Amino acid sequence: MKKTIILIGLIIGMNLASYSQEVTLSKSELENVLCKQWEIEYAMMNGMKIGQMPGAADFDIKFKSDGEYDLIREDGNNESGIWTYDAENKYVELSIKEKSTSRIKSIDKGKLILTLVSGQNDPPGLPSVEIHFKPM
C-alpha cells in the first residue's frame, strides 16, 4: 500500500522540503549501522502517513560497505545504486545511474529516515515525502 507511492517517488524523484539533516556518525559508525537490509515501516507525505497504491511493487534497500546499495523489489526488477556520506552536511546521498534520488536524513540502529530529492524539472509545490525504514 504505502510502498507504491514511495517507489514511484524514489525512482522519479519528488520534492525535498527543507528538513534538517541529522546523520552525525563517523564513517565507520555509519557503515556499522547502515550496512544491512532495511524494509519500509511507513511513509509520510506533508506530515501525514500515506498508504501504498494498488498494484505497486514492494521494495527493500540493502546497503553494502563498499558504497553500493541494492533496491530489492518484490517484482524482481531490482536496481543498484551508490551511497555517499557527506559528513560536513550530515546526510547520506543515494543515487541511481548518477542521478541523486534521495537522502538519509536520520539513522540509528533501529530506524532509517529517507527523504526524496526533487529533480530539476519537477514543478514547484510537489509534496514532500519521507520514508521510515526498519532493519530486517
Side-chain angles (χ1 to χ4, degrees):
M1 42 186 175
K2 60 190 156 258
K3 296 177 185 180
T4 298
I5 292 173
I6 297 163
L7 179 59
I8 292 168
L10 188 60
I11 293 171
I12 65 172
M14 291 183 74
N15 188 36
L16 173 65
S18 297
Y19 292 105
S20 62
Q21 306 303 320
E22 304 171 9
V23 179
T24 58
L25 304 170
S26 70
K27 183 152 172 68
S28 63
E29 289 172 324
L30 175 66
E31 286 180 7
N32 189 40
V33 173
L34 179 66
C35 295
K36 61 182 93 174
Q37 189 162 328
W38 297 82
E39 65 180 338
I40 296 174
E41 188 172 18
Y42 61 92
M44 303 285 288
M45 182 180 289
N46 288 338
M48 295 177 50
K49 281 190 177 183
I50 57 173
Q52 184 174 354
M53 293 174 60
D58 189 7
F59 71 96
D60 297 328
I61 300 178
K62 183 176 183 177
F63 293 93
K64 304 174 196 173
S65 61
D66 64 0
E68 293 185 8
Y69 72 93
D70 293 322
L71 189 63
I72 304 166
R73 299 183 188 149
E74 71 180 357
D75 64 6
N77 292 321
N78 302 336
E79 283 191 86
S80 294
I82 296 172
W83 65 269
T84 53
Y85 182 36
D86 185 334
E88 183 178 326
N89 293 309
K90 300 180 181 173
Y91 63 81
V92 176
E93 186 166 85
L94 307 182
S95 60
I96 295 177
K97 297 179 185 170
E98 299 180 16
K99 182 182 179 207
S100 179
T101 59
S102 53
R103 289 184 178 162
I104 296 171
K105 74 173 212 170
S106 179
I107 185 170
D108 63 35
K109 66 180 181 176
K111 186 167 206 79
L112 180 152
I113 301 175
L114 182 128
T115 56
L116 302 177
V117 177
S118 68
Q120 289 182 336
N121 297 325
D122 290 344
L126 286 177
S128 62
V129 175
E130 187 178 86
I131 307 164
H132 294 247
F133 288 85
K134 62 183 179 181
M136 291 189 72

